[in-house]
Every structure is written in structure tokens, then in C-alpha cells.
Amino acid sequence: MEIVCVTGAGGYVASWAVKELLGKGYIVHGTVRDPDDEKKNGHLKKLEHAKERLHLFKADLLDYASLCTAIHGCTGVIHVATPVPAGKVTDPQKEMLEPAIAGTRNVMNACLKAKVNKVVVVSSILAVAVNPSWPKDRTMDENCWTDAEFCMKTEKWYCAGKAISEREALEFGKKNNINVVTVCPSVVFGPMLQSTLCTTNIILLNLFKGKNSFNLIEFDKAEEDIDIPIVDVRDCAKALLLAYEKPEAEGRYLCSPHVLRTKALIQLLKNLFPHYNYPTDQLRVSNEELNYTCEKIMNLGWNYRSLEKTLVDSVERMKEAGLLN
């Protein structure tokens, strides 16, 4: 039976990837900070087939030896985790950028040591879309790379870290004859499997409370009416499985079927859930348009849910978890 390791298994996207893998008959090695932390990882143990085929390993992206232990014996790895600083960030270069790059390097070196056949790295649309020199009239696709130097100058550390890590992973694969594929999702909404809130669901929850906090993920200033690219967490997990299982999958894949402005998203939420206090701030019109295509991943056989379905399921899960009154 094939063994696949998922890094950061307790996280939002990774949990759904674990669920998908277990559902398809794989044995899963999940890396987590603390396997005994029921609040962060208890939901994984309740997944169908988890008792027989899920093994949690105490591992840290910055601890190469622990990654080697988790990845040993695996034929594939889905690398989802990104080191997240605990508490307030005082030095983003040291606390966000450098750990993101070092963590991916450690994963790739552990994959090389374990003779892993295939690695799927979760990157981000932010590793694609922040490129001032990309022609405005040209649709962004997998050939468009975020300008890491520009991001560092403008202090978009998450964007820079994702772009550098993804590029390094692809180059490492070519150099060492490992099949490396990257997937670049956008803002991920949809039902949580875990009980702790992730960044994007905090943003959604904030919108219900009258606060616009899209600047939490380095898109831009929250006071601008910007394009928000969105993908359902379940569709994102399916994209990772397609990238892993399809022999023809190669290079990078953009994964974001929906894009709409902040105001339009708030209006859609109002139509679906009229009983909340939405932001009433006057948002400045942004001239920046996010013009990209997901044609490449669609050609792998990927499809996706409607945005309305994603939002309804997100809210239902939040209500179940007692996060919404």
C-alpha cells in the first residue's frame, strides 16, 4: 500500500488532503508539532480510516531529522506546511521569510534522502500575481512569477517566501531527478475540519462582524476595493491529489476558479446571510485587476464548486463549531 506524507497535517488545507488520501486507500504519514494536542489534531484521528492508516509524527519544518523520520518509507509527499511565527512579528525577514525557505529546503532534502518519487508543494497565487513588470493586458498563467525582490522591498514577506520556496523546490526536483509539482491556490474558503480558525476563516468571520481584514494575507490595504481570488478548500485538496496522481502533471498549477471585488463578496454574503453586521466603510476603487487563468489544472480534469456553495458550507461549519451566533 502506497505511503504519502502530508506536512502540517492538522492545518486547514492539509486536513482535507489527508481526508482525500485516506478515502483513496493511501497510508498517510502526517507531520504535526504535537501528536497529542487534541485541540489542533484531534479531528485527524476522527477521520474515516484514520485508525488503520493514519500515522502522526512529531516534526518541525526547521528540524531536518524529524522530517526524515516522517518521510522515511514514503513514495510521495504533499508539502503544505509553512512555518508560522508564534505571536507578534518583530523581524519578518527572520521570522517569516527565512523559515519558509529553510523549511521547504529541509523537506526537499528529506525527500531526496528517502528516495521519494513525487512531491507536490503547496505554493500560493501570491507567488504568481505580484509582478509589476507583467504586461497589464496579458493574462497571468503559470509562466508569471512574483517578483521576490520587489516583495522584499515593499515588505510583502509572505509573497516573497512563497515565490522563492516554490522556485527552489522546482529547481531542486530537476537537479535531483525528483518529480516536483507545485499548486498555487488563492484565498481558501470552505468548511473547516479542525476546530481552530485559520487566517482565511478569520477574515470571513470578521466580515460578519463588520470588519474588513483582507490585508491579513498581504493582498493590499483593506480600505481598497480589490479583486479577491477564491478557491474552496475541498476543491484545493482535490487539485493536490490530481497533481500527485496524474502522471502527466508537471510544473506549476494555478488553482483559483473565482475572483470578485471585496464589495461584491460582501454583497453576496449579504444576499446569502442577511442577518449580520457587514462592513460599511467606503472602499476606494482599485485600478489593479487580477487577470489570470486556471486552464492548465482544468486540463488535468479538475472541476470546482460554485462560490455560493463554498460560502454556505463555510458558514454552516462555523455555526456548528459555535463561532457564529
Side-chain angles (χ1 to χ4, degrees):
M1 205 176 281
E2 199 172 332
I3 307 172
V4 177
C5 179
V6 178
T7 67
Y12 183 36
V13 171
S15 295
W16 278 100
V18 170
K19 182 178 166 69
E20 284 281 323
L21 287 162
L22 290 172
K24 289 194 152 200
Y26 292 94
I27 294 171
V28 180
H29 286 190
T31 76
V32 293
R33 291 277 181 91
D34 180 2
D36 298 321
D37 187 335
E38 291 302 309
K39 189 178 177 185
K40 287 190 176 174
N41 303 311
H43 62 286
L44 294 172
K45 298 168 189 177
K46 294 173 190 166
L47 293 173
E48 196 174 0
H49 308 299
K51 279 186 180 171
E52 318 95 85
R53 291 192 266 108
L54 175 64
H55 307 282
L56 297 181
F57 289 79
K58 181 179 172 64
D60 188 301
L61 288 182
L62 302 180
D63 179 354
Y64 172 67
S66 69
L67 290 171
C68 287
T69 302
I71 293 171
H72 178 73
C74 294
T75 48
V77 171
I78 297 179
H79 173 40
V80 191
T82 298
V84 179
K88 193 174 178 183
V89 175
T90 54
D91 186 341
Q93 182 167 346
K94 278 202 168 73
E95 294 170 63
M96 289 173 67
L97 178 70
E98 290 170 11
I101 296 165
T104 298
R105 283 176 187 162
N106 282 339
V107 169
M108 296 310 300
N109 279 307
C111 288
L112 180 65
K113 184 179 181 185
K115 295 183 171 61
V116 164
N117 296 330
K118 182 105 175 241
V119 184
V120 177
V121 175
V122 179
S123 184
S124 168
I125 199 169
L126 294 174
V128 177
V130 190
N131 187 335
S133 62
W134 188 262
K136 298 287 181 197
D137 58 349
R138 186 175 164 194
T139 301
M140 287 180 174
D141 59 15
E142 286 76 10
N143 295 308
C144 183
W145 281 90
T146 279
D147 184 335
E149 289 292 324
F150 171 79
C151 288
M152 287 188 273
K153 283 176 190 165
T154 52
E155 299 189 341
K156 292 180 183 285
W157 300 104
Y158 182 84
C159 301
K162 280 292 184 186
I164 294 167
S165 299
E166 183 189 355
R167 206 186 269 277
E168 279 198 7
L170 288 166
E171 287 169 1
F172 188 96
K174 284 177 189 167
K175 184 180 170 186
N176 295 286
N177 204 26
I178 301 172
N179 189 355
V180 178
V181 177
T182 63
V183 176
C184 302
S186 56
V187 176
V188 184
F189 287 147
M192 304 177 297
L193 289 172
Q194 78 272 42
S195 59
T196 51
L197 277 167
C198 64
T199 302
T200 50
N201 275 311
I202 290 170
I203 289 167
L204 198 54
L205 199 59
N206 281 343
L207 289 175
F208 292 125
K209 296 175 179 177
K211 186 182 176 190
N212 175 12
S213 56
F214 270 103
N215 57 337
L216 281 175
I217 42 176
E218 291 192 8
F219 269 111
D220 221 315
K221 294 177 182 175
E223 59 266 19
E224 289 192 349
D225 190 22
I226 55 170
D227 277 342
I228 307 293
I230 298 168
V231 64
D232 187 292
V233 67
R234 296 160 292 187
D235 298 332
C236 182
K238 285 192 187 307
L240 299 180
L241 266 286
L242 274 173
Y244 180 70
E245 292 185 328
K246 290 272 187 176
E248 67 268 32
E250 50 81 33
R252 56 196 319 231
Y253 288 89
L254 259 165
C255 175
S256 178
H258 309 291
V259 63
L260 73 173
R261 295 255 157 168
T262 315
K263 275 185 186 173
L265 175 61
I266 292 168
Q267 189 56 54
L268 178 56
L269 288 169
K270 274 184 185 174
N271 295 344
L272 292 169
F273 317 104
H275 305 299
Y276 294 103
N277 297 315
Y278 294 96
T280 54
D281 305 340
Q282 290 300 310
L283 297 175
R284 290 199 311 272
V285 176
S286 170
N287 295 322
E288 296 291 321
E289 280 191 29
L290 208 47
N291 179 19
Y292 61 87
T293 176
C294 295
E295 186 180 352
K296 189 182 175 194
I297 199 159
M298 301 288 288
N299 290 339
L300 271 190
W302 186 65
N303 48 41
Y304 53 88
R305 291 163 176 79
S306 70
L307 183 54
E308 289 83 353
K309 172 71 174 159
T310 297
L311 294 172
V312 167
D313 290 353
S314 297
V315 171
E316 287 305 313
R317 178 67 187 99
M318 283 184 186
K319 283 179 179 173
E320 283 171 24
L323 298 166
L324 277 170
N325 297 328

